[in-house]
Amino acid sequence: MMRRGSTTVIRSILTTTTSPRGFSTGADKAVVTWWMRSSGGAARNASTVALGADKEEQRKEETVVNGGGEERKGNDNKEITSYWGVPPSRLTKEDGTEWKWNCFRPWETYQADLSIDLKKHHKPTTWLDKFAYYAVKSLRLPTDIFFQRRYGCRAMMLETVAAVPGMVGGMLLHCKSLRRFEHSGGWIKALLEEAENERMHLMTFMEVAKPKWYERALVFTVQGVFFNAYFLAYLASPKLAHRITGYLEEEAVHSYTEFLKELDKGNIENVKAPAIAIDYWRLPADATLRDVVMVVRADEAHHRDVNHFASDIHYQGRELKDNPAPIGYH
């Protein structure tokens, strides 16, 4: 049997000979070894518990110092410590289930307004409007030839282009706001919101249409050309750039209308809606591809209105910052 007084002595020695960070010193280990040899199994158990407590305390201390961040690696959950102490957020849905999307958050979801007028059209009157209109129309011909009636792939290509104007416009307005030390009237947020919404369209249709290697290569080419061309157009004339985007969104509305017709005819299978679309647009659990196309088309119509509105502001000789931006319009 181990005497109570001896246990107290060992505990006292362990306490006084432990380094500030919780590591046992050489004297500590020597005393424990001697006691194990002289006191048998009970002493071994006591020393094991003491050293185990030391290691647990050390682990807790390092977790506190390093921030205690956790990261998912493979199929196992492993605790990853980080000096910066930035823990991942743990979010749940309204029903209590885990939120599995990292690309958007629950408060960024919404129910699309399907009552928007899909037939609205800005009739080109000035030569700048006509240039924008026919420039967009000229892009439709090669698209029709390349994709024909493969509307899933067409939608994928469309969204890789449609997400560019909002990002370019928001970026240039951001830089302008910094240079002039002035507010943007909310237009930076509105345009970046548009770009993010278009990107979510792409993430959705990536689940529906699996692009082939040459279609991915085409995206590289088209996006590279369009980004630089639109960047220069926005620098030269924001009213032209927004008008181009307005007409581009009109074409998007037309494309998704044709998509719906093919779905209704049965030429395209009306498969179950991707999970990411159900959560992003707050669709019912049994939603289908047709429901997804409906809400995406409504989004495009809202973007059409915003960009034609922005172009009209410039045509009236005013600046965007002087007119409240339609944040959250979609």
Side-chain angles (χ1 to χ4, degrees):
M1 292 289 293
M2 181 177 61
R3 290 193 297 274
R4 188 170 182 177
S6 301
T7 305
T8 304
V9 171
I10 289 298
R11 190 173 296 164
S12 175
I13 294 173
L14 288 174
T15 303
T16 56
T17 59
T18 302
S19 66
R21 290 191 57 81
F23 294 101
S24 299
T25 62
D28 171 12
K29 294 179 180 178
V31 172
V32 172
T33 301
W34 170 80
W35 181 251
M36 288 175 63
R37 289 177 179 174
S38 60
S39 300
R44 284 196 296 272
N45 291 338
S47 62
T48 302
V49 170
L51 290 175
D54 263 359
K55 290 182 178 179
E56 179 64 20
E57 188 65 28
Q58 172 192 343
R59 190 191 68 78
K60 288 181 179 179
E61 181 184 349
E62 288 181 346
T63 301
V64 171
V65 171
N66 293 330
E70 291 186 357
E71 179 182 286
R72 235 170 243 237
K73 193 173 183 179
N75 295 326
D76 301 323
N77 292 336
K78 295 185 179 180
E79 187 172 343
I80 304 299
T81 58
S82 170
Y83 172 80
W84 306 107
V86 183
S89 57
R90 304 282 184 184
L91 301 175
T92 57
K93 297 182 183 179
E94 294 177 356
D95 58 3
T97 57
E98 183 182 359
W99 184 262
K100 62 180 180 178
W101 310 108
N102 292 324
C103 51
F104 66 101
R105 292 293 186 257
W107 52 85
E108 296 170 341
T109 64
Y110 63 98
Q111 290 180 320
D113 178 14
L114 301 181
S115 64
I116 189 170
D117 185 358
L118 299 172
K119 297 181 180 180
K120 289 174 68 175
H121 166 65
H122 182 276
K123 185 177 180 179
T125 53
T126 67
W127 71 269
L128 208 61
D129 283 355
K130 292 178 180 178
F131 174 80
Y133 179 76
Y134 289 110
V136 172
K137 283 294 184 181
S138 66
L139 297 176
R140 183 174 171 178
L141 180 60
T143 304
D144 289 341
I145 294 175
F146 188 84
F147 291 106
Q148 298 180 356
R149 294 189 178 276
R150 291 182 297 139
Y151 285 98
C153 294
R154 180 194 288 260
M156 178 208 66
M157 170 61 74
L158 176 65
E159 300 303 342
T160 61
V161 173
V164 170
M167 180 58 66
V168 171
M171 175 185 67
L172 290 176
L173 286 179
H174 175 75
C175 292
K176 181 179 179 180
S177 176
L178 297 178
R179 290 194 310 270
R180 295 190 176 184
F181 306 98
E182 62 187 16
H183 292 288
S184 70
W187 281 94
I188 296 173
K189 185 176 181 63
L191 293 179
L192 293 182
E193 184 182 71
E194 175 187 315
E196 175 64 10
N197 181 246
E198 296 283 7
R199 192 184 66 84
M200 288 305 301
H201 293 176
L202 175 62
M203 296 299 103
T204 297
F205 283 110
M206 283 291 293
E207 300 294 326
V208 177
K210 305 298 181 182
K212 300 178 176 59
W213 68 268
Y214 56 84
E215 291 171 335
R216 290 177 178 268
L218 182 63
V219 168
F220 270 87
T221 304
V222 173
Q223 191 181 82
V225 173
F226 183 75
F227 180 93
N228 289 285
Y230 192 84
F231 178 83
L232 295 175
Y234 204 101
L235 286 176
S237 175
K239 63 182 176 184
L240 171 63
H242 282 293
R243 192 67 80 200
I244 288 174
T245 306
Y247 286 130
L248 186 65
E249 299 295 357
E250 287 185 17
E251 287 299 319
V253 171
H254 173 77
S255 293
Y256 284 117
T257 300
E258 294 299 314
F259 198 163
L260 286 172
K261 289 180 181 178
E262 294 298 312
L263 283 167
D264 292 339
K265 291 177 182 177
N267 296 331
I268 300 176
E269 184 182 0
N270 189 24
V271 297
K272 180 177 172 57
I276 191 172
I278 292 175
D279 284 341
Y280 183 68
W281 283 284
R282 300 178 190 170
L283 298 174
D286 59 348
T288 62
L289 177 59
R290 191 182 192 281
D291 298 318
V292 174
V293 176
M294 289 284 290
V295 294
V296 170
R297 183 177 66 168
D299 286 350
E300 304 293 5
H302 285 95
H303 299 160
R304 170 204 65 193
D305 295 350
V306 170
N307 281 277
H308 280 316
F309 172 54
S311 184
D312 287 346
I313 292 173
H314 284 291
Y315 265 105
Q316 295 171 18
R318 303 166 68 183
E319 293 193 34
L320 295 181
K321 68 181 181 66
D322 299 324
N323 299 269
I327 297 175
Y329 178 57
H330 66 272

